[in-house]
Amino acid sequence: MTYTARKPPLARSSDQLRAQIPGWGVDLDPADRPAFPQERYDPDATGAHWDFPERQTAHGFRERSIEHEFLPPVFGTSAPLHGVSGAVRRFAYARFSEARAAHWLLLLGADRIDSTGAHLRSLATLRPDNPISETGIRAELTHHGLSSRRGNRVDTRHQWIDPVLVAGPWVVGATIAVKAARRIARTKARATDPA
């Protein structure tokens, strides 16, 4: 069982695995392991006084992979799920295994939803987000950003798309806002025009 000191039984015996998988179990003998004789299996030496650790109490929903029967003994509570992004994350954890791309794509989409909501909320504050300084565009011009990108660097392959990824969402958002403002202005002008 997971979270206990004892290993779960193998579905197939060591002899069966060795016969079916070439090279399986080459380090099964502790004497063949590089860590031997330092490595030893002695659960009593850990000081653990339990066979199954005491579990943290869950208050409300906490996301859990469907591969696991229950939550781990200790888990974080500092960032509970909320809003639309929380609903997407709940769906990803409840529906898809962590081995499925859909699981991770949904989590990525939830992150984008969360960040978009945070940007929109910042516009309602006295100090809204500043995309010029907070996305690093200003530092690219004032702190040798362009000159430091020359030379033998491993990240040169994706540099061409970096401006698109960083500035693209802001440009799209600004374009949508301008078009919406123009449409509202035209609608008001038609409503007030007597002809």
Side-chain angles (χ1 to χ4, degrees):
M1 177 186 290
T2 311
Y3 310 125
T4 63
R6 305 294 175 189
K7 293 182 179 177
L10 294 173
R12 290 176 285 179
S13 68
S14 297
D15 292 335
Q16 289 173 325
L17 289 170
R18 190 177 293 107
Q20 295 171 357
I21 305 172
W24 187 93
V26 293
D27 60 346
L28 205 57
D29 184 358
D32 293 336
R33 298 176 186 172
F36 185 81
Q38 289 84 1
E39 182 184 80
R40 60 194 176 114
Y41 179 69
D42 185 6
D44 296 333
T46 64
H49 58 279
W50 31 254
D51 181 57
F52 188 83
E54 182 180 351
R55 300 182 62 202
Q56 179 179 345
T57 304
H59 300 286
F61 177 81
R62 185 76 269 184
E63 59 272 30
R64 171 182 57 84
S65 172
I66 59 176
E67 286 91 353
H68 293 265
E69 185 178 354
F70 42 75
L71 288 169
V74 178
F75 50 87
T77 59
S78 62
L81 303 182
H82 60 90
V84 177
S85 63
V88 174
R89 289 188 177 104
R90 282 190 193 94
F91 179 71
Y93 276 100
R95 181 74 171 81
F96 297 104
S97 160
E98 290 183 350
R100 300 279 304 275
H103 175 86
W104 300 107
L105 289 173
L106 283 169
L107 293 183
L108 286 172
D111 285 345
R112 294 300 88 204
I113 292 171
D114 205 14
S115 66
T116 302
H119 291 313
L120 294 176
R121 284 194 301 274
S122 79
L123 295 176
T125 65
L126 296 177
R127 300 187 65 176
D129 293 342
N130 182 350
I132 302 300
S133 61
E134 294 174 1
T135 58
I137 294 175
R138 182 179 179 187
E140 289 285 341
L141 303 175
T142 60
H143 289 74
H144 312 291
L146 297 177
S147 61
S148 68
R149 291 178 185 273
R150 291 194 298 264
N152 190 17
R153 293 178 48 155
V154 296
D155 59 345
T156 55
R157 292 183 181 175
H158 63 77
Q159 287 181 1
W160 65 272
I161 202 170
D162 287 348
V164 176
L165 294 177
V166 172
W170 291 98
V171 172
V172 171
T175 303
I176 292 173
V178 168
K179 286 188 175 183
R182 284 183 177 173
R183 178 169 289 186
I184 292 172
R186 278 197 299 264
T187 304
K188 285 188 176 180
R190 288 178 190 153
T192 58
D193 188 4

